[in-house]
Amino acid sequence: MMTKELCSSAPFECYLYVYECRSGEEFFKEIKDDDILDLETQVIHWVKDYFGGDAEVDLPLIHGMEGEYFASIKTDFNPPDSVVSWESAGFYIKSTES
């Protein structure tokens, strides 16, 4: 996983960009040619990778800028601050601990 400090433009041709609204932290996850180009699927995978089994996405995604996190799929080397996105939405996560 990369943070924005490591790249001044698009880190990959196609990637998931996740922004944590409270801290302002940014995350990037490459989407390879054989990966599914679906935001919900990519966000679920990112949460599993980042939080392990301690959290999951509180579905459905919120199609707008609401939520704890904001995610978008960027293609064609578009930078994170570009308004051009394949798909974008906000989301919350919930703990899986009982």
Side-chain angles (χ1 to χ4, degrees):
M1 200 160 325
M2 294 180 120
T3 60
K4 191 171 186 174
E5 292 79 36
L6 298 177
C7 60
S8 59
S9 60
F12 308 105
E13 180 179 7
C14 185
Y15 62 98
L16 175 70
Y17 168 70
V18 178
Y19 176 79
E20 184 179 6
C21 299
R22 269 183 280 162
S23 70
E25 194 169 1
E26 298 173 298
F27 305 91
F28 301 89
K29 181 176 184 268
E30 183 177 19
I31 299 174
K32 303 203 186 233
D33 290 342
D34 57 345
D35 290 339
I36 297 172
L37 201 57
D38 174 71
L39 186 62
E40 185 174 304
T41 301
Q42 292 299 325
V43 166
I44 289 169
H45 287 291
W46 177 80
V47 169
K48 283 182 184 176
D49 291 346
Y50 188 73
F51 292 98
D54 297 334
E56 64 186 15
V57 179
D58 190 4
L59 296 172
L61 299 179
I62 306 160
H63 289 282
M65 295 283 295
E66 297 178 32
E68 292 175 290
Y69 295 85
F70 176 77
S72 61
I73 292 177
K74 301 289 188 177
T75 59
D76 302 320
F77 290 105
N78 281 307
D81 59 355
S82 169
V83 296
V84 179
S85 295
W86 179 265
E87 187 178 8
S88 62
F91 65 97
Y92 292 93
I93 57 167
K94 59 184 176 183
S95 175
T96 55
E97 298 176 357
S98 21

